[in-house]
Amino acid sequence: MDASDLLRSSLLHLSDSSLVRTTIEKAPVSRAVVQRYVPGTDVAHAVSAAAELRATNRQVTIDYLGEDTLDAGQAAHTVDTYVGLLRALKAKDLSQFGAAEVSVKLSAVGQALPQDGEKIALDNARIICEAARDADTTVTLDMEDHTTTDSTLSILAELRKDFPDTGAVLQSYLHRTEGDCRDLATAGSRVRLCKGAYKEPASVAYQDAEDVDLSYVRCLKVLMAGDGYPMVASHDPRLIDIARALASRHGREPDSYEFQMLYGIRPDEQTRIADRGHQMRVYVPFGEEWYGYLMRRMAERPANLQFFLRSLVSKG
Ligand SMILES: Cc1cc2nc3c(=O)[nH]c(=O)nc-3n(C[C@H](O)[C@H](O)[C@H](O)COP(=O)(O)OP(=O)(O)OC[C@H]3O[C@@H](n4cnc5c(N)ncnc54)[C@H](O)[C@@H]3O)c2cc1C
């Protein structure tokens, strides 16, 4: 394990530590730092970030932060927030034709509840899908750690019976993903391909960054050759170039796939890609529960960590 692997795994560990979490949340960590990656805590912040992104021709997917809920009341609150968000997007003319959609973590809407978690998550996700349909837009189910993959894909299959445009997410670090890509590369199937953000064991996931990248390319080949709608979620310039080349090799029109990046990461490249006539969608997280999300971003890029630590010791 080299130094950056060690740092990455320590940060992913910290994302689970409630002591560190409380310390950081109470520290005078400037809103400015958090705001670079998370535009705010409530619906109004998310909607105004969406409006700004739309003004520069970028599409949007919005995530209400929070995961691993073990409280049915909290899950219901998350559902209400998504419904309110979708109404607000519609009222501002931001959601039509899927221009601004939502990303949902099933563990935030009840999947992890000990009693009937899967059923509760499905029912809750259905409510969000209905609100999305009313707003002329879609829902994508984020993918979480590997213990939830089968459950998430089975809930996806159920939802797609009524809401066929519900998006899936697959993670190239998992050994199983090339096969999942084959299963999901069907007509109309929206599939976001990402590398994967959780700490996973070698029994299920590639540990070496190069192997994760090679798997990403194999998965991209399957998705681009298939009949579905690939959503290429990465900031990696090499993978973006490969995706573009594969799309052109398969004669794909620019509206038959899209690129996706995270809010605050490579914003100039986001606009460049959009200006070149590609579809570019930005993932916008919002809410009070920014800690776990931010730690995963720090783990991905030590340069972000330096910036963050400096702000922890400065005021405001
Ligand atoms: C839209 C979207 C949705 C996602 N949804 C999920 C999900 O549901 N489940 C999940 O597990 N993960 C999700 N992820 C996270 C994803 O799995 C990765 O953890 C994250 O995107 C980092 O991987 P990367 O492909 O950008 O490559 P990395 O290996 O992190 O970076 C590769 C290269 O990209 C460039 N780069 C990266 N960051 C920066 C930066 N800050 N500034 C400049 N250059 C940079 C550098 O050249 C770097 O070498 C999502 C990511 C995106 C973009």
Side-chain angles (χ1 to χ4, degrees):
M1 193 185 262
D2 68 16
S4 67
D5 286 341
L6 188 65
L7 182 62
R8 179 168 186 275
S9 86
S10 313
L11 283 165
L12 287 174
H13 179 69
L14 287 188
S15 72
D16 288 335
S17 158
S18 54
L19 177 65
V20 177
R21 177 196 175 118
T22 312
T23 310
I24 291 183
E25 282 182 349
K26 288 201 174 135
V29 51
S30 65
R31 280 281 161 199
V33 174
V34 179
Q35 270 171 10
R36 175 173 159 181
Y37 302 100
V38 180
T41 50
D42 52 34
V43 164
H45 295 126
V47 171
S48 73
E52 275 171 36
L53 291 161
R54 290 297 298 132
T56 51
N57 205 21
R58 285 171 283 178
Q59 297 176 315
V60 183
T61 183
I62 305 180
D63 167 37
Y64 178 52
L65 292 166
E67 51 202 270
D68 294 333
T69 301
L70 290 173
D71 171 355
Q74 177 60 30
H77 166 74
T78 297
V79 175
D80 290 346
T81 305
Y82 272 110
V83 171
L85 168 66
L86 285 158
R87 286 190 187 136
L89 290 170
K90 184 182 179 187
K92 298 261 181 199
D93 285 341
L94 291 166
S95 55
Q96 284 88 340
F97 308 112
E101 62 136 35
V102 294
S103 283
V104 176
K105 284 188 174 47
L106 288 175
S107 78
V109 294
Q111 189 182 31
L113 290 171
Q115 285 268 303
D116 294 331
E118 210 165 295
K119 181 178 179 308
I120 293 168
L122 172 61
D123 292 345
N124 280 337
R126 215 184 271 287
I127 296 170
I128 300 171
C129 286
E130 267 156 21
R133 179 175 282 171
D134 283 347
D136 188 22
T137 191
T138 49
V139 174
T140 295
L141 298 182
D142 279 354
M143 191 57 86
E144 303 179 65
D145 74 78
H146 80 278
T147 62
T148 64
T149 309
D150 282 328
S151 159
T152 298
L153 291 179
S154 83
I155 291 173
L156 173 84
E158 274 307 306
L159 284 173
R160 280 187 170 180
K161 290 178 187 164
D162 295 320
F163 306 95
D165 53 12
T166 307
V169 178
L170 296 175
Q171 301 150 317
S172 74
Y173 64 16
L174 293 184
H175 301 149
R176 59 179 284 168
T177 296
E178 200 181 335
D180 288 332
C181 286
R182 259 182 236 111
D183 293 345
L184 288 178
T186 52
S189 168
R190 297 169 60 249
V191 180
R192 174 195 300 160
L193 180 64
C194 63
K195 291 187 185 179
Y198 298 81
K199 182 163 170 46
E200 299 288 18
S203 53
V204 298
Y206 299 109
Q207 304 294 305
D208 196 77
E210 202 178 314
D211 290 333
V212 177
D213 291 357
L214 289 171
S215 167
Y216 197 104
V217 174
R218 289 194 300 275
C219 293
L220 263 183
K221 285 183 176 164
V222 174
L223 294 176
M224 288 292 183
D227 294 327
Y229 179 87
M231 303 188 279
V232 182
S234 179
H235 312 95
D236 194 325
R238 286 172 316 154
L239 295 179
I240 292 167
D241 284 348
I242 291 169
R244 225 185 263 134
L246 285 169
S248 127
R249 184 190 301 168
H250 291 288
R252 281 184 171 270
E253 295 295 328
D255 64 355
S256 70
Y257 64 101
E258 68 185 42
F259 293 100
Q260 297 190 342
M261 291 191 189
L262 301 175
Y263 185 80
I265 301 191
R266 306 197 72 202
D268 295 343
E269 183 61 11
Q270 293 174 12
T271 44
R272 253 196 304 276
I273 290 176
D275 289 346
R276 273 193 226 120
H278 293 286
Q279 298 194 94
M280 163 55 66
R281 189 180 298 274
V282 179
Y283 184 103
V284 178
F286 79 101
E288 294 286 351
E289 296 281 322
W290 46 264
Y291 176 81
Y293 177 84
L294 203 64
M295 284 300 125
R296 287 199 287 278
R297 302 292 79 81
M298 297 302 133
E300 279 154 13
R301 201 166 168 83
N304 291 343
L305 179 67
Q306 243 178 26
F307 179 69
F308 180 66
L309 288 178
R310 233 183 292 129
S311 76
L312 269 182
V313 291
S314 65
K315 294 257 185 290

